[in-house]
Amino acid sequence: MSGVGGFFYGDMFRELLAAGLVVAYAGYCWHKFRQSRQARQPMPPAGAAPVSADANQVWVIYASQSGQAEDIARQTAASLATPRCQTHVCRIDEGWQEKIVGARCVLFIASTYGEGGAPDHAARFVREYLGGEKIIPALRGVRFGVLALGDSSYQSFCAFGRQIDAWLQASGAVREFPRIDVDRLEGKALRNWQKQLTVLGLEARAEISLVQPQYAEWEFEKRECLNPGSPGSPICLVVLRLAGGGTHTWQAGDLVDVLIPEGDGHPRAYSIANLPGEGRIELIVRRHVREDGTLGLASGWLTERALPGDRLSLRIRNNPGFHMQQDLSKPLILIGSGAGIAGLRAHLQARARMLAEAGEKAPQRDAWLFFGERSGRHDHLCQLEIEAWKRSGVLSRVNIAFSRDDPVTPYVQHSLLAQGKEVCDWIAAGAQILICGNARKMAVGVDEALRNLLGAEQVDSLCEAGRIRRDVF
Ligand SMILES: Cc1cc2nc3c(=O)[nH]c(=O)nc-3n(C[C@H](O)[C@H](O)[C@H](O)COP(=O)(O)OP(=O)(O)OC[C@H]3O[C@@H](n4cnc5c(N)ncnc54)[C@H](O)[C@@H]3O)c2cc1C
Ligand SMILES: Cc1cc2nc3c(=O)[nH]c(=O)nc-3n(C[C@H](O)[C@H](O)[C@H](O)COP(=O)(O)O)c2cc1C
């Protein structure tokens, strides 16, 4: 019996043992499975917002004036090859604040503009979040990375990217790697950005690079002084011709970067002052005199030293932040000062061409130029052209503020305020505003005047909608 019983109990014991082992093994497997899932999912840090079902969402948010940060944002999103990961690209003013709840991570790519400021479309974001009280609860605990675009020749290098970085940390978001500052789009920093994305558990499949427009050889053809006898610096219309023929294209609002012979290797930007055709580019250049009395390198060469036939390297740069809306039925307000007439001139030429093409069918055609310079006697830049545009109806109104002649409305911002009621009517009728010229004084004064007339809320909305566009320097 004991034998049978021993056999019986022995069998039962083995079966129980086997069952126990199976259960223990299943438990072990379940534990390992959960561990490996957790390893693949971002661990919310202490104090993190609860991670929702959206934990595979990656948000790439950009702020860009001339399109480079946007380009990198799109490439970053396209390059991500992380399984089950969904990427969204969003402009900083486009309402991502509620959508990022529980996101896997948020990537910010932001360029700096003006004097350490933000791109125009980020004006509301700056006012409400960076300068104001508003907070974004969904940022708490979210992992983030910041790529700041800038140019170290400016005093406030990458200032806007830095501000965003500091604000994200203050909002309780979790920085996984130090902010990456990119000086003039250097490839090394972009490769580092891509490398760091792995820290966020993201894998990149394609390399992020920017297709830089190629420099071509151009020839200095001639110059004409636009302000003879002016007590200020000479401002010259400079004509350049493509060396060896060929064609290049651009649209009003675009820029060139020039490298002059025997320069310091750093390109200088100039606003293109004409439309493509006949292989020539026209610039309007103010001769820059440095504090020590020496001439600026590029402007000195273009306005004084260059001789016909001298060669320079030049590339044309797309500048969507200063393109015109192509709708003739909407009024247009152009505002500028000094060499800023360059960008406005290209837009007026484009408008003249559009009107000529539309012929009799051209709808409403209101365009209003506000321009500022020193004296009517010497500084009436492009006077003949402006008068011709006025006669032909390309311009319906012109207000020129000569600061030395008119103590009541010395600057463009004063003209704007003096005509405030009508300016508001034009904006209510859908006008776009294009601003070109001095960043420090003119652009700041014009911004204040517009905020005064329209209120901050409306100015921010117009910037976001591309109805206020600027090329200021
Ligand atoms: C988007 C954009 C559009 C622009 N459009 C126009 C335009 O249409 N027309 C126009 O006239 N300008 C325009 N500019 C300005 C233009 O790019 C140049 O900045 C300007 O012409 C001065 O350049 P420069 O080489 O003559 O002077 P620089 O030689 O660069 O000198 C300028 C300043 O740099 C410093 N500096 C540089 N090198 C030295 C040195 N060796 N010693 C001492 N100080 C030095 C000094 O502070 C000096 O005052 C634009 C700028 C931008 C960003
Ligand atoms: C008018 C102007 C002002 C600028 N101001 C700054 C600045 O203050 N600080 C800085 O680091 N970079 C400055 N930059 C450099 C830009 O941030 C840099 O060129 C960037 O790559 C532009 O990116 P975007 O095309 O996305 O606007 C300025 C560029 C321009 C044209």
Side-chain angles (χ1 to χ4, degrees):
M1 179 74 192
S2 66
V4 173
F7 181 78
F8 175 70
Y9 283 114
D11 255 359
M12 217 167 77
F13 175 70
R14 268 195 297 275
E15 273 172 27
L16 276 173
L17 188 67
L21 278 174
V22 167
V23 169
Y25 183 66
Y28 171 74
C29 287
W30 171 241
H31 173 70
K32 277 312 233 188
F33 171 64
R34 288 198 47 163
Q35 257 190 346
S36 76
R37 263 188 56 164
Q38 276 164 1
R40 272 182 279 132
Q41 302 240 340
M43 281 293 285
V51 175
S52 77
D54 281 341
N56 281 321
Q57 311 279 327
V58 176
W59 285 82
V60 187
I61 295 164
Y62 68 87
S64 177
Q65 185 72 22
S66 57
Q68 288 160 345
E70 176 177 359
D71 194 354
I72 296 174
R74 295 199 183 283
Q75 283 196 56
T76 299
S79 79
L80 295 178
T82 313
R84 294 185 306 282
C85 176
Q86 264 190 310
T87 33
H88 309 271
V89 181
C90 191
R91 223 171 66 168
I92 201 160
D93 54 293
E94 278 178 348
W96 46 273
Q97 288 83 338
E98 269 129 48
K99 299 184 192 150
I100 60 159
V101 175
R104 181 186 183 117
C105 63
V106 187
L107 307 172
F108 283 83
I109 301 173
S111 63
T112 296
Y113 192 60
E115 299 282 323
D120 287 341
H121 62 82
R124 182 198 306 276
F125 172 82
V126 171
R127 182 166 57 82
E128 291 185 348
Y129 294 105
L130 302 190
E133 301 285 290
K134 236 169 150 176
I135 55 155
I136 299 174
L139 277 176
R140 201 168 62 86
V142 167
R143 308 160 88 194
F144 77 89
V146 174
L147 186 73
L149 265 51
D151 178 335
S152 60
S153 66
Y154 286 90
Q155 241 176 10
S156 322
F157 177 50
C158 290
F160 184 51
R162 286 165 194 266
Q163 252 186 307
I164 291 189
D165 187 36
W167 167 77
L168 284 164
Q169 288 183 79
S171 303
V174 178
R175 188 167 83 170
E176 292 284 335
F177 55 87
R179 184 193 65 248
I180 297 173
D181 295 342
V182 190
D183 190 4
R184 290 174 226 171
L185 301 174
E186 48 175 344
K188 201 170 134 219
L190 291 178
R191 285 191 292 280
N192 187 23
W193 169 247
Q194 216 155 9
K195 204 170 118 212
Q196 293 299 342
L197 294 180
T198 55
V199 175
L200 290 163
L202 303 173
E203 297 158 33
R205 141 183 75 205
E207 194 171 310
I208 298 170
S209 67
L210 279 177
V211 184
Q212 293 282 7
Q214 293 297 305
Y215 280 91
E217 285 283 287
W218 290 68
E219 246 175 44
F220 176 86
E221 188 174 292
K222 60 178 177 183
R223 71 176 72 86
E224 178 197 341
C225 180
L226 298 178
N227 58 348
S230 172
S233 266
I235 295 184
C236 297
L237 177 73
V238 172
V239 180
L240 307 173
R241 188 165 288 284
L242 189 56
T247 51
H248 273 261
T249 196
W250 64 87
Q251 60 173 297
D254 287 344
L255 303 165
V256 292
D257 285 326
V258 304
L259 286 167
I260 59 154
E262 294 151 32
D264 57 4
H266 288 308
R268 307 297 197 269
Y270 292 96
S271 317
I272 305 179
N274 67 326
L275 295 181
E278 303 166 23
R280 58 194 251 162
I281 279 186
E282 295 175 1
L283 310 176
I284 294 179
V285 182
R286 177 189 290 277
R287 188 179 299 161
H288 180 80
V289 182
R290 297 170 177 167
E291 271 169 22
D292 63 3
T294 58
L295 292 192
L297 212 55
S299 66
W301 190 82
L302 290 164
T303 64
E304 192 178 274
R305 292 199 303 282
L307 296 171
D310 281 354
R311 297 277 176 109
L312 70 157
S313 297
L314 180 151
R315 65 180 180 192
I316 295 167
R317 208 160 22 106
N318 181 35
N319 186 26
F322 193 54
H323 286 167
M324 174 171 57
Q325 60 191 16
Q326 305 284 317
D327 184 352
L328 278 176
S329 67
K330 298 277 167 57
L332 180 66
I333 300 176
L334 304 113
I335 305 171
S337 67
I341 195 69
L344 304 184
R345 182 178 185 255
H347 281 301
L348 284 164
Q349 289 187 359
R351 189 142 173 116
R353 189 180 280 182
M354 276 156 58
L355 284 168
E357 280 164 7
E360 288 303 305
K361 284 180 268 149
Q364 185 190 340
R365 53 185 65 198
D366 287 334
W368 191 348
L369 173 67
F370 287 91
F371 192 68
E373 251 298 341
R374 281 188 179 175
S375 89
R377 186 141 167 255
H378 301 294
D379 303 304
H380 204 320
L381 308 180
C382 304
Q383 181 178 8
L384 295 179
E385 281 174 293
I386 291 170
E387 283 169 4
W389 282 321
K390 186 100 196 286
R391 278 195 303 278
S392 64
V394 172
L395 276 170
S396 32
R397 298 186 66 165
V398 176
N399 278 85
I400 305 197
F402 289 114
S403 57
R404 299 280 163 103
D405 306 344
D406 180 357
V408 182
T409 49
Y411 300 117
V412 272
Q413 56 268 39
H414 303 121
S415 302
L416 272 173
L417 290 169
Q419 320 279 330
K421 162 84 179 64
E422 284 154 285
V423 169
C424 292
D425 291 346
W426 278 51
I427 289 162
Q432 185 189 27
I433 302 178
L434 298 172
I435 304 166
C436 191
N438 182 287
R440 255 170 241 156
K441 291 189 181 141
M442 186 273 300
V444 170
V446 166
D447 186 62
E448 275 168 19
L450 290 174
R451 283 173 195 271
N452 205 313
L453 291 173
L454 304 163
E457 178 61 34
Q458 196 183 351
V459 170
D460 292 348
S461 301
L462 291 170
C463 287
E464 286 168 7
R467 281 182 52 202
I468 295 179
R469 288 200 165 151
R470 306 189 307 156
D471 167 20
V472 296
F473 44 87

